Amino acid sequence: MSLTIPQASQAGLFKPGYNSYDAEDGAVIRNIDACRTIAQTVQTSLGPYGRNKIVINHLSKLVLTSDAATILRELEVVHPAAKLLVMASQQQEAEMGDGTNFVIILAGELLKKAEELIRMGLKTSDIVSGYEKAQAFALKTLEDLEVDRLSNLRSPEDLSKALRTVVASKQSGQEDVLAQLIAEAVLVVLPKNPVNFNVDNVRVVKIMGGDLSASRVIKGMVLGREPDGTVKRAKKAKVGVFSCPIDVSQTETKGTVLLKNAQEMMDFSKGEESQLEAAIKELYDSGLRVVVAGSTVGELALHYLNRFGILVIKILSKFELRRLCRVCNATPLARLGAPMPDEMGSIDVVETTEIGGDRVTVFRQDSETATTRTATIVLRGATQNHLDDVERAIDDGVNAIKAITKDPRLVPGAGATEMQLVERISHYADKTPGLPQYAIKKYAEAFEVIPRTLAESAGLDATEIIARLYTAHQRNTSEVKRRTQDAESSDENSEEDDDEEDEEDTSGTSDSEDPYWTTGVDLETSDATGVLDAVEEQILDLMSVKSWGIRLATEAARTVLSVDQIIVARQAGGPKPPGPNPNWDED
């Protein structure tokens, strides 16, 4: 007699408090719904006319931005499936620094299309297989859509061309000013081999007041504090950087000193003073005129530093200390004493200035021959939220330069690349046998979400714009087909009239060189048609950002689709998480 296995398979299997969601309960559909919700949250923030979001995080800090990576980081998503999408966007941020919104929106749209296929009766395995084939074809097609490449990375015009679109998606209308600032800052620190460019070498200091046009680039560092001593300025000075306290050395253990009379007490303090004076004189004799302390500076030490005319400034952040060492080419020392000549740095100008009411210290390398490995963009603006948002745009721009050093190819922006992918992947789907062709077709349709969202954000009639884009891009496809047929027919007749056919064929090809596939959405509505040539208008995207975005979005969508069960353990004990602040809107 065979044993009957009970249906409640998890009874007694896990600890009490576990929750399980099966495919039979519609777990896949529910996961897709959660991912679509997170995609819809950031979808309206795409592009130059993207809307801002106000997010108030668990610390009651108000964040106002249209940057998808920041929005998702502050939202703290807990749904396991939606978290997969957030992780994909975070990976895009880490890898490319831009295109996070593209990843989330595309993955959300791929899952929306997958839901339609599931309701039609397709199995998730067929959808995953179709998406895999479509992704491989899309990445191969993307290689053919190159319209330009940056040959000279040391040209501000070339860099600005690639940066304008990246910056415009965050700060529309300010792209020319910001692209110029970023290009100038990057060229100051760009190494001989551009591949070694480090994004950390471009710093941003935000000072409220004025407007964005008052921002400027400084070849060095700006510190948001004054020097500690009376000396506030130095020129062509040697710099010593100390990570230890500049003070009388303390013993590790407590000691007791018995003083019998006033003379002994005076002698005791005099010995301490003379010891410290000798140490500071040693620094002065070695040629140091600027001392940077990574820890405390004692009052007595400060007195002697002022007496010898040495500028002293305290920097408590070890990261800032490291960056300052890069500016001055100095070595941080863990002991107080005269540094060796190769451990000393040099700086052209150290000065204290006032910017918008804030006193700051500027370490600047002025001479053309001096090399600095750090440049600082001093940003001016009306509000702190605005400055934070501009900083994110600059961060995206600097990361875009890093991506350009690896892959300088550019593709048309304004949704033109996505529309061309829709066309080409749809044709590929028609040639694919079996059930995966439905998934490939839906994969192609998913790319339509980018131009549609761009048009909706700008307040245009999205349906009409999409129809015009389809017309232009299909015209291009038929031109390509005609050219191929012409080439084949000319090969057949080449034996009879070789020269004449060649002339006719080349003239036919040049007529059909009209780049219909670079047509994108005209957000400025300067043209009545609502579409424009993205290449003519210099709206260009980085191919590497697009290709990584497609990879990560597809991978996230396939991962979500391949989940059929979620098992959630009971939360461990501990303090309750903070609840919502009821007075969040009070000053």
Side-chain angles (χ1 to χ4, degrees):
M1 182 179 140
S2 62
L3 290 169
T4 55
I5 298 170
Q7 289 300 308
S9 58
Q10 292 169 10
L13 183 62
F14 301 129
K15 277 186 178 180
Y18 268 83
N19 289 327
S20 174
Y21 307 98
D22 280 327
E24 286 78 17
D25 306 333
V28 177
I29 300 293
R30 281 215 297 276
N31 288 346
I32 290 172
D33 280 344
C35 294
R36 279 176 56 194
T37 306
I38 202 77
Q40 282 166 2
T41 305
V42 295
Q43 187 168 335
T44 51
S45 297
L46 180 74
Y49 288 92
R51 304 289 179 267
N52 284 332
K53 309 278 181 196
I54 291 180
V55 181
I56 293 154
N57 66 10
H58 62 289
L59 298 172
S60 298
K61 183 189 174 190
L62 183 144
V63 179
L64 186 144
T65 181
S66 63
D67 181 42
T70 310
I71 294 167
L72 293 172
R73 189 168 55 246
E74 297 295 343
L75 282 178
E76 294 182 2
V77 178
V78 292
H79 191 284
K83 238 179 184 173
L84 291 169
L85 257 66
V86 175
M87 284 159 69
S89 83
Q90 285 170 348
Q91 187 56 36
Q92 175 80 355
E93 174 78 3
E95 199 67 42
M96 289 287 133
D98 187 30
T100 48
N101 213 339
F102 174 76
V103 172
I104 294 277
I105 292 171
L106 182 58
E109 193 68 12
L110 287 170
L111 289 168
K112 181 183 172 184
K113 299 293 180 189
E115 186 183 353
E116 293 171 16
L117 292 169
I118 289 169
R119 293 193 190 282
M120 279 167 55
L122 257 74
K123 294 280 182 283
T124 50
S125 54
D126 293 326
I127 300 169
V128 168
S129 158
Y131 277 10
E132 201 169 341
K133 286 179 182 174
Q135 179 199 344
F137 182 77
L139 293 174
K140 197 165 70 177
T141 304
L142 199 63
E143 303 282 322
D144 302 334
L145 300 183
E146 178 192 338
V147 289
D148 198 358
R149 67 170 59 209
L150 297 181
S151 51
N152 182 13
L153 282 179
R154 299 195 182 275
S155 156
E157 291 76 23
D158 274 19
L159 285 182
S160 296
K161 182 167 66 177
L163 288 170
R164 280 183 78 256
T165 313
V166 176
V167 175
S169 65
K170 300 281 185 300
Q171 290 292 321
S172 178
Q174 304 287 355
E175 59 267 26
D176 292 323
V177 179
L178 287 173
Q180 196 177 343
L181 277 173
I182 298 166
E184 189 184 338
V186 166
L187 289 174
V188 167
V189 297
L190 198 65
K192 285 180 182 173
N193 182 4
V195 178
N196 297 330
F197 170 66
N198 182 4
V199 293
D200 194 43
N201 290 347
V202 177
R203 310 298 305 158
V204 174
V205 169
K206 299 168 287 188
I207 297 174
M208 278 175 63
D211 65 346
L212 206 56
S213 59
S215 305
R216 65 180 194 272
V217 175
I218 287 172
K219 191 179 172 184
M221 261 187 89
V222 178
L223 303 169
R225 59 177 300 155
E226 287 188 77
D228 289 52
T230 54
V231 184
K232 304 289 184 189
R233 185 179 171 83
K235 269 195 171 186
K236 302 282 181 192
K238 295 281 183 192
V239 182
V241 180
F242 298 95
S243 56
C244 61
I246 300 177
D247 202 355
V248 179
S249 55
Q250 302 283 338
T251 54
E252 287 185 14
T253 55
K254 285 187 178 180
T256 307
V257 179
L258 187 62
L259 302 172
K260 294 177 182 173
N261 51 43
Q263 186 61 41
E264 280 184 11
M265 188 173 179
M266 284 176 71
D267 291 343
F268 179 79
S269 60
K270 210 175 275 178
E272 203 174 53
E273 286 171 21
S274 58
Q275 187 187 349
L276 194 55
E277 185 179 8
I280 303 296
K281 190 174 188 306
E282 193 183 347
L283 296 182
Y284 180 81
D285 292 341
S286 68
L288 285 187
R289 294 296 176 270
V290 177
V291 167
V292 179
S295 190
T296 54
V297 179
E299 300 229 345
L300 191 60
L302 193 59
H303 165 72
Y304 286 118
L305 286 163
N306 288 337
R307 183 192 282 184
F308 283 105
I310 297 174
L311 184 146
V312 59
I313 187 165
K314 226 178 350 185
I315 299 177
L316 299 179
S317 161
K318 64 179 180 182
F319 301 106
E320 292 292 301
L321 203 68
R322 230 176 268 165
R323 290 180 192 117
L324 189 64
C325 288
R326 286 210 295 264
V327 172
C328 308
N329 294 318
T331 306
L333 302 171
R335 51 168 178 78
L336 183 61
M340 303 291 287
D342 58 333
E343 292 173 334
M344 284 192 279
S346 61
I347 193 80
D348 285 344
V349 178
V350 183
E351 61 181 357
T352 306
T353 57
E354 191 170 317
I355 304 176
D358 291 358
R359 302 282 290 172
V360 294
T361 305
V362 179
F363 280 74
R364 195 170 71 237
Q365 299 284 22
D366 273 345
S367 63
E368 293 297 321
T369 53
T371 55
T372 177
R373 284 181 281 175
T374 302
T376 303
I377 299 173
V378 179
L379 275 185
R380 306 301 310 283
T383 64
Q384 195 61 44
N385 281 322
H386 175 60
L387 285 171
D388 290 343
D389 220 22
V390 174
E391 185 186 12
R392 290 183 201 107
I394 287 177
D395 189 47
D396 281 6
V398 175
N399 278 290
I401 302 277
K402 180 67 178 171
I404 289 166
T405 59
K406 296 176 186 171
D407 186 353
R409 293 175 295 173
L410 300 170
V411 293
T417 302
E418 285 79 9
M419 283 308 294
Q420 190 58 25
L421 285 172
V422 173
E423 279 297 310
R424 298 201 187 185
I425 298 169
S426 297
H427 283 292
Y428 170 65
D430 294 339
K431 298 174 191 171
T432 308
L435 286 175
Q437 75 162 277
Y438 294 104
I440 296 171
K441 198 90 172 168
K442 291 289 183 188
Y443 186 94
E445 287 172 20
F447 281 100
E448 192 190 293
V449 73
I450 301 296
R452 183 181 292 279
T453 306
L454 287 172
E456 283 171 355
S457 299
L460 306 174
D461 185 344
T463 312
E464 192 179 336
I465 298 289
I466 293 291
R468 283 178 182 155
L469 287 175
Y470 268 121
T471 307
H473 286 262
Q474 279 170 352
R475 197 160 144 206
N476 175 70
T477 313
S478 58
E479 287 287 351
V480 171
K481 280 183 182 173
R482 191 176 66 76
R483 271 208 304 249
T484 335
Q485 287 166 3
D486 285 354
E488 285 170 3
S489 62
S490 67
D491 284 342
E492 288 169 12
N493 303 328
S494 59
E495 293 174 8
E496 296 172 9
D497 276 319
D498 207 18
D499 298 333
E500 289 176 16
E501 285 293 329
D502 278 347
E503 281 172 23
E504 284 176 24
D505 189 46
T506 50
S507 65
T509 313
S510 62
D511 287 342
S512 61
E513 283 294 326
D514 213 4
Y516 301 117
W517 62 272
T518 59
T519 310
V521 185
D522 182 7
L523 299 180
E524 301 295 333
T525 62
S526 55
D527 187 4
T529 59
V531 295
L532 50 71
D533 189 329
V535 178
E536 266 182 30
E537 298 292 329
Q538 294 285 300
I539 303 171
L540 302 169
D541 288 336
L542 301 181
M543 186 187 287
S544 52
V545 171
K546 281 269 187 282
S547 106
W548 270 99
I550 292 169
R551 273 197 199 97
L552 290 165
T554 312
E555 202 63 49
R558 279 167 43 201
T559 309
V560 171
L561 288 171
S562 59
V563 172
D564 75 330
Q565 190 173 13
I566 297 175
I567 303 167
V568 185
R570 187 175 63 184
Q571 283 195 338
K576 286 184 179 178
N581 178 12
N583 306 318
W584 63 269
D585 57 344
E586 290 183 6
D587 290 335

